[in-house]
Amino acid sequence: MGIEGLYQALPEGCELLARAIRDPAFAEPFSVANWIPGNPQWLKWGGAWAECARELSKLCETHSGLERRRFDVGPRWDVLHYLLSEARREGHFDRDDWGTHALRGAAALASHLAGGQGIPLRYSRPEIVQVIAEHLGPMTEEDLRRTWEPARMEAQAVYKFWADRAGEDEWGWTVEAFRGLQAFYRQVASHREGVLVTRD
């Protein structure tokens, strides 16, 4: 168990997002990381849950495949943040740089919007997603290797990272997570959508 990084594409001007920002009663269903359009359980519960399920169905009908434009980087969100952000390597978690935007999101939303562990949801607008995708697109495994510094990563308290366990298996899983993130941002950028970031 632990904190996982979850990324969901959202179209610009998304009414579902706007409603969640202005209406605290709508926050809990919106903040659930695993969206299912027309979720029968949510419909059964009624109230804001049923309304959110119906709105999500409408959104996915308008934006085909939206519910599949998501990525779960698992607990390696901070490893990738360290590898991709010079600011993070210097110990700054929330600087305004593309690597931070990619892993933590560019902007906080309303104070009532948080994941299950109370970590605020964040959002990157489509133009920021484009910048992230442009940076990630040409990157290679060799580029990542240049910032793979196990002892320093542990000293910087990278989440769930221990230098004595950072062998080839850990490196392989990190590269796999990076490639998944790279593909996710490429796809979302091609749809000119934003990204909702949940750490849950």
Side-chain angles (χ1 to χ4, degrees), residues 2 9 12 18 24 32 48 59 66-67 77 85 96 118 138 142 159 186:
E12 180 72 341
V32 171
L59 187 64
L66 181 69
E67 72 279 12
W77 51 272
S85 167
D96 195 28
E142 289 69 32
Y159 182 71
R186 183 187 310 118

Side-chain angles (χ1 to χ4, degrees), residues 114-160:
Q117 299 197 46
I119 300 171
L121 271 61
R122 296 178 67 88
Y123 178 71
S124 297
R125 295 174 60 97
E127 59 269 25
I128 293 173
V129 170
Q130 293 288 327
V131 170
I132 294 168
E134 287 167 9
H135 280 283
L136 285 174
M139 289 189 71
T140 65
E141 184 175 332
E142 289 69 32
D143 293 323
L144 284 189
R145 275 281 190 191
R146 293 189 187 100
T147 52
W148 178 256
E149 309 162 297
R152 190 159 180 249
M153 290 164 77
E154 183 174 351
Q156 285 279 355
V158 170
Y159 182 71
K160 285 193 177 289

Side-chain angles (χ1 to χ4, degrees), residues 70-190:
R70 57 182 292 108
F71 182 63
D72 181 348
V73 80
R76 289 183 174 79
W77 51 272
D78 199 25
V79 171
L80 291 180
H81 187 194
Y82 180 94
L83 297 176
L84 298 176
S85 167
E86 183 177 354
R88 172 65 184 93
R89 291 192 295 277
E90 294 173 354
H92 306 293
F93 293 86
D94 290 312
R95 286 286 172 87
D96 195 28
D97 65 288
W98 75 267
T100 297
H101 293 168
L103 276 305
R104 295 174 67 98
L109 299 171
S111 60
H112 57 264
L113 288 175
Q117 299 197 46
I119 300 171
L121 271 61
R122 296 178 67 88
Y123 178 71
S124 297
R125 295 174 60 97
E127 59 269 25
I128 293 173
V129 170
Q130 293 288 327
V131 170
I132 294 168
E134 287 167 9
H135 280 283
L136 285 174
M139 289 189 71
T140 65
E141 184 175 332
E142 289 69 32
D143 293 323
L144 284 189
R145 275 281 190 191
R146 293 189 187 100
T147 52
W148 178 256
E149 309 162 297
R152 190 159 180 249
M153 290 164 77
E154 183 174 351
Q156 285 279 355
V158 170
Y159 182 71
K160 285 193 177 289
F161 187 88
W162 299 274
D164 62 351
R165 303 183 199 176
E168 283 307 302
D169 283 348
E170 180 61 33
W171 171 250
W173 294 324
T174 298
V175 171
E176 182 180 350
F178 167 74
R179 288 177 177 153
L181 189 76
Q182 196 176 38
F184 168 76
Y185 272 105
R186 183 187 310 118
Q187 183 184 38
V188 177
S190 74

